[in-house]
Structure formats: structure tokens, C-alpha cells
């Protein structure tokens, strides 16, 4: 028993056996044999045949020595043969991880040694706060040396333009488990205060066609991994880009596929009818936490040109003259490629858009269009600089030219269109790419009529929306894309689309509506992120059991549902959709309702269109857009009686979800109560202002005894005068005065209100100057000069420049319905030529009030020689303290009214407050300027008392004078 016994472990014995079905399986076995036993192949084969799993002919194809162990008593020493290393079980359980003898009792472990493989780990370290330096390399080294089969670690250096991100690479010779890598990552992130990302190469098996695949074939690529992972993804890298793959028209991703038992994760990508853009390096990745296991392979495609551009010169060949020879040159152009093609030409077998004239019926040459046979269409592939596409023109059978149609689109928009096409195919179909597409679409669209945004651009933009609507059925997008999507979709509706015929407009509008609805349906919208402001499109969502939302003033109510309601309000589309109800006129608003995660088959939706939707003596019709037939239908929709007393309010009730509207003309939204308040207030103000100006004219010489009082009363008289003119113009603009008078009155109101605020500014600035610079009083001539500039010249310049700007940019200066300036959106519209100056004056007045109050608190008592001026200043300050909040509050409420959401409960409060304070503004001015002014009040009492006692006073004075003379 004391004899030394050698135990040879013969492992990795490749045993092949064949079955009758000519299917070959490979078995790997390990045999342990003592040194004094002779290993015979027949013995091994006999033992295998007795195994239930092996019942067919077995052939030993290869055997080799994997490990050798020396066992002496209870002690053993084992070595792995060349090309083999310790298995993970031996390394992590017995701490034998290097190519050195292992003195642990491991001879019974299976597998003891494994064949070496090449595994590379590429990693990055992103420091959270500290910067990277070489002193941290030993920490990396220590952790990765714990891996079985560790070969080396190399820090490739920090990334360009940064000091807190460094890349490194690690090489090991054994497949390392993900759990071990995650432990190392956790330790390093804790010790370094950083974030680590690891990519491994060599652990995933990838299968792909070895030879080039045929054009428009269906290749399949497959990746397998031994462990179970959380997610899997594919990317395609070409010479120019790296893009993620997702499900689409070409790409079909699967994460469940047939694999051998040793693989627990699998992923395949199937490409439908591949073309040249699908040739490149494919990479699959199985991700688990911060660790990603990858494999790469190259897919070659036998290329054919995806697009052949044929250009013919001349565009038409006139063969109507006998005996004349016409030379036609045809150029074929394809994208630059390294492939070699055999080019074959056919004249009659390929459509080349070459038109040949054999008879005399033709359209004559016209500018850039050659003589063309009747019934043919000429294609001109020449576009202006910065645009791509073609132009076409049809020659009618009568030999008359139709209008030219321009299919040339903006180059940047064409790039966006190509990106959308690739997105639909599944190439780069990610949230980030979708953001870029909608951003490019927004930048390409515009609301300016003279910006070069053609009808071809509109058609191309709508097609992009349509493509993205189809693509998002396979790819989930969140609401981060909404702002650019809503802005782009809104801009498309700014134009009239008059450059094409009605049938094309109907097709474009229907495509637009279906595309917008499809995108809104597929995009995951949160409740708080769905209110995106735009001119022509508003989007709201609701997920409660009783949904009630409002879009563009129209209430949408949906009961008995557990899903999410998405309501879209669209302006300027109704007139473009085909109206199959010929005896009706469409409103300007279309409402589309979409349900997400709908569990109810029986739905009831109510739409309450705002007041004044219905004209007098007209009948409303609630309709929905039938997407299958592309026309309006009344099926399932009825008009319900209104619950309120609103004038012209229309309530529609439908039992299905789609796009709804009311076929009726839309008028100005105003209420009877607000109209009464406005008329009464303006009447009172006009009377009060006339009385104020009369009083000022009577007491002027008595109250204006110093420069300060002269400045104040001059400003007050101008404020009252311009407010009086503005109120009169406002009343005159009511009742449809006609287009010319409407424009004149709009200009008057614009000018007079601005002049009023300008003189308010002069008064507040004058007071601040007088109080701060006590010993440097403002001279009368200086004040009148600058006040005239601010109060007269500046308003004229603002009104004139805003009117000229609107005229030469083809923007509306005024609304013909209300005879006032136009508000389109933030910083867009002529109303901003009024809002911005008024807002500046209000802020200045508030600042002046603060300065005046602070100066009074800190100032000392003035000299006795200036008692009159001091009393005058005090009285003026009292008026300012009373006037400024009145004027400022009125218009601050107006600004708040513009900023409030239409659904806010504060909107009615702001509307009524603004109407009351603004209409009675002249009355408040009379109170503060006359009744609250002591000097004016005293002078008026003197005048009244003097006139009532005028005769007796004169007699007394005359008698007194005569008596004195006699004496």
C-alpha cells in the first residue's frame, strides 16, 4: 500500500458516434485511470455502450492528457497540461488560479482543467468626483487578478478632453462568470468612487453566413450565451455610422430560439430582403447590470444599386419631322461603390421617362419645358440649390400644359425623411434617433409664408409623420418627443396648401390626420407631460375613471373606462379635409379622441363645443371622420341639448372614438354680461374724463404754481385725453364698422393706449427725479422736450413700425372680427407691439413707486423756503400711491389672463376683473385727479361759491371803494 500510485486523468476525450439518420453528435468525456492499469479503447467503448444515452456506433476520434496528479497518502499535487488551465471550480473553491501545481486535494473534481480560450474585457472607469491618476492602477490590478486565468491588465489612458474617464483592457484565458465580474465591479466602484462599465468578447457564440448573402435574401444571425441574462440587443456598424437595431419592416428580433442545452440565452436577428445598407459588422450584446457580453461578425451583401438615377437629354425627342435624326443621351447614376457591375441597356423594356413625339398633337415649348406629346408627363430632375427631387408637368390630350408641380424638397428635410425610412426598417430605431427626426422636422417646417417652405416640403413632412406613425407600432417612444412633434405638426397647418388641386389637398389632410392620430396613440404620454402649447395643435390626456379634459376651449368627457384618454385639438385642418356634407360649413376645430389600454367595448364620449360655435338660424351636425372611407359620417353621433345657457353652444355625444367636429361657422366668443359691463364702464369713463378735463381747464392757473405741479398736471391731462380717445375708439369699433374703419380704429386704439402709458411713464420718472435730486430741480423746458418725445413720438414710431412690419411680412396686423391686434403665440403676433411697451411701463411704474416710498422714508424735512414745494410733492405722492396700483393692477391682470391655462378656474375671475377695472379706468382717474386732490377741490369750491355770490360781493367791494375815496 506504500507504493506510489500515479493517477492519470485522461480528459476531453472526443467521442463521435453516428446514428442511422446520418446525424452526428459529439460527446466529451473524462476518464480517470490509475498508472498500473492499461487503457484499452475497446474497454472504453464497451463502457459507453452500456450508457443509456449512447445506443449507437461509437468511435473514439481523439484523446489527450489534460492533467496529471501525484497522490501520496492523503496528499496530492496536480498539474494541468500545456494548453489547459484550472477550471473555475478549482480556482474559486481551492484558490488554484495560476499555471502552477495545485497542492489541494482536487483530483476528484470534474472538470479539473479546461482548455484555454481568449477572453477580452474592455472597460471604462468614470470618476464621480475625483480625477483619474496612475496611483489607482494597482487597485484595478488587484481586483482583476482575482479572475481565473488572468493574463494582463492594460490602462489605455484617459479619453480625450476629459480627466475623469479612463479606458482599460483585461485578458483572461478562462470563461469568467458574470457574477464574479459584477463582484469586481461593485468592489471597484466602492473603493474608487466611480462607475464602471465592462464589455466582454469571447464568451458569446455568434453564428452568421460565412459567404456574402444574395441581394434581397433573408439572412439570419444568431447569438448564444451560457448564462441567463436580463436583456439583449443588436447593433450594426458601417463605415459611416453605428446604429441600434429594433423591430421594423426589415429587422425581426427574437430572444427565444433553439439552442444546445449548455446555452441559457439566445438571440436572433432576421433581415428581410437585405440591400446594401445592411452590409457591415453586426454585434450582439447580453447585458446584466454593468456587464455586457458581446460578439461580432461581418455580414457581406452581394450589392446591387438601390437607386438608379436616369437623366435624359433632351427630355423629349421631336420625331414629327420626316427624315430628321434626333440624338438622345441617357445618363445612369448610382451611389459611389467599390462593386463592379455589368450594365445592360434596353430602350423599350425600361421606362426612362423619354417622350417621343410621332404626331402633331403636342404641347409647345414653354420656358424650361420642351415640346411634349399630348397625354405625356415630363420629368425634370433639376432642382434649385439646396433642394433635391424633381419637377413634373403634364401635357393634356388637347395639347395644353397643366400647371407645373414641384417635388423638390429641402436637402435637410430629405435627410430627415431618409432617417425616418431607416427607422421604419428597424435601423437606428431608438428614442434618441426619434428625437433627432422630430427635431429636424420641426426645424425644417416653418410658419413663415416667404421662407421657401414649399408644398413639396409639406408633403414630405406629412410623409415623415406617416412613416413614424407606422414605425412606432413596433418601437415604444416616451413623451420626450412630444414638444418637437407637436411644433412640427402645428407648423404644417399654417399654410393654405393652395399650390395643389383639391383632390391632393384632401389626400394630404387625411394622411396628416391619420398620421397624427397614429403617433399620439403609440407614444407613451404622461399626464403631466401632455400639455404642449402650439398654435394649431393641443394635446391633453387623462387616466381617471371619469375623464374630463379641455382642448382649445372644447370639453371632452369620457365615462366608464379604465384606460388612458388622449384628446387632440387641431385647428386649420377642417377646411382642408373633404366635406361630403355639401350644405354645411365646417368649424375651424377638430377634436380627436384616442383610448390607450382600453378594456371597455361600450364607450360613450361627450364633446361640449364652446359658445358661439353655432350661428343664428343654423343647425349643427355632429360628425366623425371615417378613416376607412376618408369622409365625414354621422353614424353613432347625435346632438344633445346644452346643459348651460351659453349662446350657440353645441354638445355632441358619440359611442366610438375617432376625430370629431361640428359642421358650423365659428364666431367671436363673448358673453352678454361682459358686453354690458364693457358698455356701461366705458360710458361712465367717457363722462368722467370729460368732466375731469373741464375741471382741469377751470383750475389750471390756480393749481399750476410750481414746476412740479405743472409737470404733474400736464401728464395727468395727457393721460386723461388719450384714455378718452382710446375709449371712444373702442366703442366706435363695436358693431362691424367695416374693414377700412376697423383698421383705422385699431390703429387709433393702439396709438392712444400707448400714448396714455407713455405719459404715465413720464409722470413716474419725473417724481423719482424730483425726490432723488432735490437740489437739482428739473427745468420745465427739459421736461416738456423729453416728455413730448416719450409721450408723442415713441407711440407713433411703435405703431407705425409694427404696421409696416406686418404689411411687408404678410402677417395680419389686426383681427377684422374684433378690430384689435392679433395674438398668435408667444412672441408672435402684432399684439406684442402693445404688450411689450405696456409691460415695460408697468414694471417701471412699480419700480418708481418703490423708489419714491424709500426716498420719503429716509429723507429729512426740507427747508422752510420750500414749504409750498414740499406740500405739492406730498399731494402728488399721494396721488401716485393711489393711481399706480389702479393702472398697474388693471393691466397686470390682463397679462395674467394671457398666461393662464384655459382650464384654470382663475380665468373667469381674471376676465371679469380686467373688464371692470379697465372699462371704469376713466372714472378712477376722475376720483384720484379731482376729488382726491385738495388744491383742485378747494379751487372748485371757490369757483362754485364765487359764482353763486358773485353779485353781492361786487356791490360790497364797490361801496367800500367809494367810501374810502370820500374820506
Amino acid at each position: 500500500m506504500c507504493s506510489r500510485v500515479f493517477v492519470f486523468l485522461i480528459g476531453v476525450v472526443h467521442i463521435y458516434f453516428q446514428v442511422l439518420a446520418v446525424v452526428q453528435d459529439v460527446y466529451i468525456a473524462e476518464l480517470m485511470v490509475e498508472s498500473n492499469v492499461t487503457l484499452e479503447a475497446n474497454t472504453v467503448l464497451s463502457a459507453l455502450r452500456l450508457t443509456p444515452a449512447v445506443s449507437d456506433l461509437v468511435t473514439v476520434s481523439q484523446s489527450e492528457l489534460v492533467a496529471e496528479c501525484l497522490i501520496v497518502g492523503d496528499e496530492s499535487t496536480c498539474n494541468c497540461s500545456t494548453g489547459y488551465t484550472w477550471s473555475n471550480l478549482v480556482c474559486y473553491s481551492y484558490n488554484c488560479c495560476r499555471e502552477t501545481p495545485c497542492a489541494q486535494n482536487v483530483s476528484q473534481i470534474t472538470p479539473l482543467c479546461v482548455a484555454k480560450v481568449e477572453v477580452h474585457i474592455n472597460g471604462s472607469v468614470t470618476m464621480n468626483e475625483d480625477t483619474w491618476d496612475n496611483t489607482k492602477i494597482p487597485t484595478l490590478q488587484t481586483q482583476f487578478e482575482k479572475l481565473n486565468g488572468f493574463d494582463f491588465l492594460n490602462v489605455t489612458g484617459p479619453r480625450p478632453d476629459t480627466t475623469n474617464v479612463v479606458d482599460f483592457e483585461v485578458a483572461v484565458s478562462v470563461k469568467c462568470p458574470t457574477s464574479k465580474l459584477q463582484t469586481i465591479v461593485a468592489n471597484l466602484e466602492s473603493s474608487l468612487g466611480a462607475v464602471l462599465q465592462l464589455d466582454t468578447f469571447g464568451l458569446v457564440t455568434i453564428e452568421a453566413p460565412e459567404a456574402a448573402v444574395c441581394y434581397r435574401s433573408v439572412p439570419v444571425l444568431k447569438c448564444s450565451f451560457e448564462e441567463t441574462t436580463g436583456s439583449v440587443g443588436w447593433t450594426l456598424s458601417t463605415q459611416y455610422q453605428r446604429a441600434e437595431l429594433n423591430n421594423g419592416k426589415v429587422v425581426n428580433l427574437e430572444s427565444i430560439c433553439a439552442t444546445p442545452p449548455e446555452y441559457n440565452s439566445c438571440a436572433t436577428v432576421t433581415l428581410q430582403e437585405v440591400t446594401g445598407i445592411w452590409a457591415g459588422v453586426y454585434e450582439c450584446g447580453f447585458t446584466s447590470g454593468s456587464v455586457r457580453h458581446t460578439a461580432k461578425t461581418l455580414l457581406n451583401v452581394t450589392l446591387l444599386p438601390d437607386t438608379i438615377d436616369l437623366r435624359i437629354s433632351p427630355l423629349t425627342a421631336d420625331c414629327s419631322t420626316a427624315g430628321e435624326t434626333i440624338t438622345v443621351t441617357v445618363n445612369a447614376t448610382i451611389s459611389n461603390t467599390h462593386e463592379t457591375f455589368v450594365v445592360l441597356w434596353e430602350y423599350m423594356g425600361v421606362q426612362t421617362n423619354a417622350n417621343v413625339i410621332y404626331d402633331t398633337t403636342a404641347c409647345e415649348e414653354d420656358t424650361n419645358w420642351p415640346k411634349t406629346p399630348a397625354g405625356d408627363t415630363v420629368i425634370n430632375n433639376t432642382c434649385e440649390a439646396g433642394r433635391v427631387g424633381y419637377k413634373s408637368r403634364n401635357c393634356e390630350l388637347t395639347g395644353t400644359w397643366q400647371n407645373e408641380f414641384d417635388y423638390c424638397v429641402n436637402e435637410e428635410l430629405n435627410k430627415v425623411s431618409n432617417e425616418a425610412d431607416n427607422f421604419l426598417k428597424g435601423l437606428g430605431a431608438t428614442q434618441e434617433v426619434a428625437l433627432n427626426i422630430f427635431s429636424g422636422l420641426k426645424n425644417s417646417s416653418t410658419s413663415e409664408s416667404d421662407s421657401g417652405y414649399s408644398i413639396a416640403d409639406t408633403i414630405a413632412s406629412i410623409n415623415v409623420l406617416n412613416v413614424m406613425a407606422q414605425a412606432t407600432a413596433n418601437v415604444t417612444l416616451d413623451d420626450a418627443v412630444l414638444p418637437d412633434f407637436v411644433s412640427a405638426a402645428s407648423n404644417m397647418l399654417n399654410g393654405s396648401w393652395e399650390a395643389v388641386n383639391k383632390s391632393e389637398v384632401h389626400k394630404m389632410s387625411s394622411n396628416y390626420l391619420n398620421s397624427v392620430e397614429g403617433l399620439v396613440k403609440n407614444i407613451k404620454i404622461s399626464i403631466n407631460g401632455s400639455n404642449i402649447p402650439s398654435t394649431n395643435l393641443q394635446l391633453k390626456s387623462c387616466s381617471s375613471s371619469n375623464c374630463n379634459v379641455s382642448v382649445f376651449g372644447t370639453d371632452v368627457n369620457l365615462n366608464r373606462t379604465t384606460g388612458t384618454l388622449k384628446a387632440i385639438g387641431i385647428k386649420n385642418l377642417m377646411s382642408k379635409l373633404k366635406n361630403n356634407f355639401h350644405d354645411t360649413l365646417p368649424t375651424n376645430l377638430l377634436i380627436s379622441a384616442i383610448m390607450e389600454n382600453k378594456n371597455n367595448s361600450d364607450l360613450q364620449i361627450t364633446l361640449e363645443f364652446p359658445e358661439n360655435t353655432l350661428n343664428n338660424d343654423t343647425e349643427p351636425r355632429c360628425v366623425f371622420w371615417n378613416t376607412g372611407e376618408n369622409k365625414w359620417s354621422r353614424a353613432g353621433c347625435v346632438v344633445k341639448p346644452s346643459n348651460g345657457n351659453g349662446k350657440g353652444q353645441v354638445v355632441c355625444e358619440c359611442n366610438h372614438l375617432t376625430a370629431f367636429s361640428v359642421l358650423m361657422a365659428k364666431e367671436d366668443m363673448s358673453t352678454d354680461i361682459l358686453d354690458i359691463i364693457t358698455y356701461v364702464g366705458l360710458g361712465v369713463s367717457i363722462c368722467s374724463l370729460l368732466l375731469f378735463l373741464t375741471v382741469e381747464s377751470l383750475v389750471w392757473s390756480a393749481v399750476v404754481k410750481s414746476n412740479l405741479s405743472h409737470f404733474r398736471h400736464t401728464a395727468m391731462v395727457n393721460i386723461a385725453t388719450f384714455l378718452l380717445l382710446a375709449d371712444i375708439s373702442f366703442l366706435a369699433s363695436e358693431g362691424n364698422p367695416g374693414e377700412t374703419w376697423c383698421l383705422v380704429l385699431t390703429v387709433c386704439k393702439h396709438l392712444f393706449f400707448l400714448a396714455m402709458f407713455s405719459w404715465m411713464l413720464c409722470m413716474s420718472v419725473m417724481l423719482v427725479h424730483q425726490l432723488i435730486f432735490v437740489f437739482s430741480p428739473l427745468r420745465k423746458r427739459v421736461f416738456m422736450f423729453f416728455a413730448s418725445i416719450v409721450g408723442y413720438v415713441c407711440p407713433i414710431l411703435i405703431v407705425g413700425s409694427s404696421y409696416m412690419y406686418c404689411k411687408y411680412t404678410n402677417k395680419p396686423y389686426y383681427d377684422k372680427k374684433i378690430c384689435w391686434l392679433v395674438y398668435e403665440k408667444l412672441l408672435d403676433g402684432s399684439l406684442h407691439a402693445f404688450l411689450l411697451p405696456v409691460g415695460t411701463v408697468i414694471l417701471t411704474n412699480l419700480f418708481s413707486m418703490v423708489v419714491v416710498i424709500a426716498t420719503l422714508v429716509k429723507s429729512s424735512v426740507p427747508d422752510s423756503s420750500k414749504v409750498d414745494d414740499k406740500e405739492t410733492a406730498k399731494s402728488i405722492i399721494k396721488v401716485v400711491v393711489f393711481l399706480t396700483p389702479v393702472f398697474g393692477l388693471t393691466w397686470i391682470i390682463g397679462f395674467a389672463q394671457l398666461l393662464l391655462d384655459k382650464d384654470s378656474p382663475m380665468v373667469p375671475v381674471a376676465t371679469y376683473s380686467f373688464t371692470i377695472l379697465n372699462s371704469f379706468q376713466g372714472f378712477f382717474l376722475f376720483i384720484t385727479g379731482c376729488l382726491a386732490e385738495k388744491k383742485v377741490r378747494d379751487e372748485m369750491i371757490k369757483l362754485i361759491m364765487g359764482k353763486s355770490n358773485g353779485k353781492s360781493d361786487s356791490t360790497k367791494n364797490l361801496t367800500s371803494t367809494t367810501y374810502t375815496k370820500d374820506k
Side-chain angles (χ1 to χ4, degrees), residues 133-149:
D133 56 68
N134 291 335
T135 60
K136 298 178 175 60
I137 295 179
T139 305
L140 277 178
Q141 184 85 16
T142 301
Q143 288 296 324
F144 281 101
E145 282 180 348
K146 297 178 181 179
L147 290 176
N148 184 24

Side-chain angles (χ1 to χ4, degrees), residues 441 458-459 461-463 465-466 469 485-494 497 504-519 534 536-538 568-574 576-577 590 625 630:
L441 192 61
T458 303
I459 295 175
S461 299
I462 294 175
N463 288 337
L465 292 182
N466 186 29
F485 157 58
V486 171
S487 297
S490 176
N491 288 341
M492 295 176 197
L493 296 175
N494 285 318
W497 301 0
E504 185 66 24
V505 170
H506 295 159
K507 179 180 178 182
M508 291 168 57
S509 56
S510 178
N511 192 14
Y512 174 91
L513 178 59
N514 294 335
S515 302
V516 170
E517 285 185 332
L519 280 167
S534 70
N536 298 312
L537 197 147
Q538 189 175 18
I568 321 165
I570 306 176
K571 292 183 177 180
N572 295 329
L573 182 65
M574 285 290 296
K576 300 176 176 65
L577 288 166
L590 180 147
W625 184 252
N630 286 332

Side-chain angles (χ1 to χ4, degrees), residues 209-222:
E210 296 182 358
V213 299
C214 296
Y215 187 79
R216 295 200 176 277
S217 62
V218 185
V220 178
L221 292 81
K222 177 180 176 181

Side-chain angles (χ1 to χ4, degrees), residues 220-236:
V220 178
L221 292 81
K222 177 180 176 181
C223 280
S224 305
F225 184 52
E226 295 177 356
E227 303 180 36
T228 302
T229 57
S231 62
V232 60
W234 289 85
T235 62
L236 169 60

